[in-house]
Amino acid sequence: MNDTTDTILTEHQHKKITAMKLEIVSAEKLIFSDKVSMVFVMGVMGELGIAPGHTPLVTLLKPGHVRIRRPDNNEEDFYISGGMLEVQPTSVSILADTVIRAEELDEAAALEAKARAEKALHDRAEEVDLARATAELVEAIAQIHTLQKLRKLVK
């Protein structure tokens, strides 16, 4: 076999894989690195569910919720500011500028950031950087939506 065919898993090999390595990396550091059985993220074309043995994929991620399921079925949640997803049959990498564990999200700060960004866009002062204010608004709304999703999951 050559290098290309060595990396392609057969259907039988896909069925044997029950976990994959996940790394979530922010601009500053490695946030998470462990085996998982499922990863849920919001890609630019919609929500993705990545299971072990998934077809290789590279895509952009929207700001929002990342949910992981460990092999023991316990779940962990994160917020990302958008980024890149790389999927291989036995590994997944998420690269984002900002990664926040769900329990560290601050709803009051997100609501305040949303209000500031909305005010900056509404005022449209010349010194306001429109692109930056829009990006801050999108990020604040994504954090708020992540918190809302988590509340629904807890109920």
Side-chain angles (χ1 to χ4, degrees):
M1 286 187 159
N2 63 34
D3 288 341
T4 305
T5 56
D6 285 341
T7 60
I8 298 173
L9 299 177
T10 67
E11 184 177 332
H12 178 71
Q13 288 170 316
H14 277 278
K15 290 179 182 178
K16 288 177 144 182
I17 302 172
T18 59
M20 59 194 165
K21 173 138 184 168
L22 170 65
E23 290 191 339
I24 301 176
V25 183
S26 75
E28 294 85 34
K29 63 182 178 178
L30 178 67
I31 304 295
F32 180 90
S33 180
D34 205 354
K35 295 283 186 183
V36 299
S37 60
M38 197 74 185
V39 178
F40 302 93
V41 296
M42 187 56 71
V44 292
M45 300 296 284
E47 187 171 19
L48 298 166
I50 310 295
H54 194 284
T55 302
L57 168 72
V58 174
T59 190
L60 292 173
L61 297 174
K62 288 184 176 181
H65 186 206
V66 174
R67 180 167 48 108
I68 64 167
R69 183 173 301 138
R70 292 179 174 273
D72 63 4
N73 284 330
N74 285 324
E75 293 188 353
E76 288 185 52
D77 299 279
F78 300 84
Y79 163 81
I80 62 166
S81 61
M84 291 287 300
L85 172 75
E86 179 187 7
V87 178
Q88 295 297 324
T90 59
S91 66
V92 175
S93 297
I94 296 173
L95 308 173
D97 284 338
T98 303
V99 180
I100 304 171
R101 291 182 178 275
E103 62 269 14
E104 296 171 3
L105 277 174
D106 183 344
E107 185 171 19
L111 289 169
E112 185 179 312
K114 178 179 178 272
R116 266 194 324 270
E118 287 173 335
K119 183 177 182 337
L121 289 171
H122 182 266
D123 292 348
R124 296 202 180 216
E126 287 184 28
E127 67 274 358
V128 171
D129 180 347
L130 192 59
R132 182 175 180 188
T134 303
E136 288 173 0
L137 179 59
V138 167
E139 189 168 331
I141 290 170
Q143 285 185 24
I144 293 164
H145 285 180
T146 298
L147 287 162
Q148 290 170 343
K149 277 185 179 181
L150 293 172
R151 279 195 204 104
K152 287 179 184 176
L153 291 173
V154 171
K155 288 181 181 180

